[in-house]
Amino acid sequence: MVEYERRIASGELVDGDSFQLNTIQQLQRLYEELIENEEDCQLDRYKSSEKSGRSRWLWSRLITQPSTYAPVKGLYLYGGVGTGKTMLMDLFYEQLPSNWRKKRIHFHDFMLNVHSHLQMHKGVSDPLDVVAAEISDEAIILCLDEFMVTDVADAMILNRLFRQLFSKGVILVSTSNRAPDKLYEGGLQRDLFLPFIDTLKERCIVHPIGSAVDYRQLGSAEQGFYFVGKHYSTLLKQKLQSLSGDEEPRPQTVEVIMGRKLQVPLGANGCAYFPFQDLCDRPLGAADYFGLFKKFHTLALDGVPKFGSSNRTAAYRFVTLIDVMYENKARLLCTAEAGPIELFENIVTVAEAHKISPRSSRSQKSDDPDLCVDNELGFAKDRTISRLTEINSREYLEDFEARLQQHQQQPQPVQGVDNADVVLA
């Protein structure tokens, strides 16, 4: 792609990664097929009049329509952390014509929207069909970042939801750390989830990015606000105060989703402070974190512990918190018991546990009571370590400051600092 070559020449992208080049070829294939089949895929959002659009909206909800599968297969990109999957998908998305029906969204956010809309249509004979119709009306090309399934409620509806979406012509482009056959591995009632994997492989070309390079690790790490040691708690609050400007941090309440409220111990000028327990040891999830980062662009998190079997649930929440923070391009200040890698050294996959000891994971667990053998968490930890490294790099923080200054000079929606309710320092 011309744009990819331009970014290599400008130094924005690293040259010579054959794995990324192979992925670009797959995206180029998809782009050319979409251009060739633009009319059949009904990509142009303006070709239908508003009236016919309303009629189609009502019709799709009252009467089951014949399937209209797209003549173009989507693309499912998977591979290790930091290998450029999201960057390449976003580059592809940016090149799509602005008049096309397209949407780019993080998988967490996508599923939150699905559950929210299902609640809105409660009482309808088939609310999932209504939600699928709403999604397909808005976007024929659906780009989902970080496809991962850890929630049983998500797993149970994905098969029917995507069967409906694909039958309405939706084309999926997705990134993931997991191959399709590894999605929701070991999850509750996984046998009910397996048909979704078959549907996914039927409607998407599955392409691995085999690169072993984590480009997030190439930045100038450890230049940020990641402090190891409990004695840094006072310093953390001092840093928060300096970033808050003249406004004194005070307790606040923010509304996150569907009327739910989140208590913020200290907040001022887009900066929020939380003890780790308040965000990750309570029954909170992605919806709460997305709501938080719509109000705040900077998070000071105090007292991140090392993770193991004793705090497995908190580890899952911390992984989700960092995912949402990274998606919103927010800034992190934190104190932690150890560096990013050491935080997760007691979290291992089944395969890793067997490498440590040839005995079963159960007997290995008895040797070290805090060793947590968990495949989903074991795979997710690498992504979190990688993102923690990038979030604390000089490059990431300089980019954050640049976007913040741009927002201050020309108030307009900017990813990561884009909510009108946020008072910027």
Side-chain angles (χ1 to χ4, degrees), residues 254-272:
V254 296
E255 186 170 327
V256 287
I257 189 171
M258 297 177 66
R260 289 179 59 180
K261 296 186 184 299
L262 182 64
Q263 302 298 321
V264 181
L266 292 173
N269 280 345
C271 302

Side-chain angles (χ1 to χ4, degrees), residues 225-236:
F225 303 100
Y226 190 106
F227 307 111
V228 178
K230 295 180 180 178
H231 57 285
Y232 282 111
S233 290
T234 300
L235 176 61
L236 184 72

Side-chain angles (χ1 to χ4, degrees), residues 269-271 295-299 330-331 400 404 416-417 422-425:
N269 280 345
C271 302
K295 307 293 183 182
F296 298 95
H297 56 69
T298 297
L299 171 66
R331 176 170 55 188
F400 175 88
L404 191 59
V417 288
V422 177
V423 181
L424 298 176

Side-chain angles (χ1 to χ4, degrees), residues 325-326 329-330 390-391 393-400:
M325 169 177 283
Y326 188 83
K329 294 183 168 62
E390 183 181 354
I391 285 172
S393 69
R394 185 182 67 248
E395 293 84 354
Y396 182 96
L397 292 171
E398 287 176 349
D399 178 67
F400 175 88

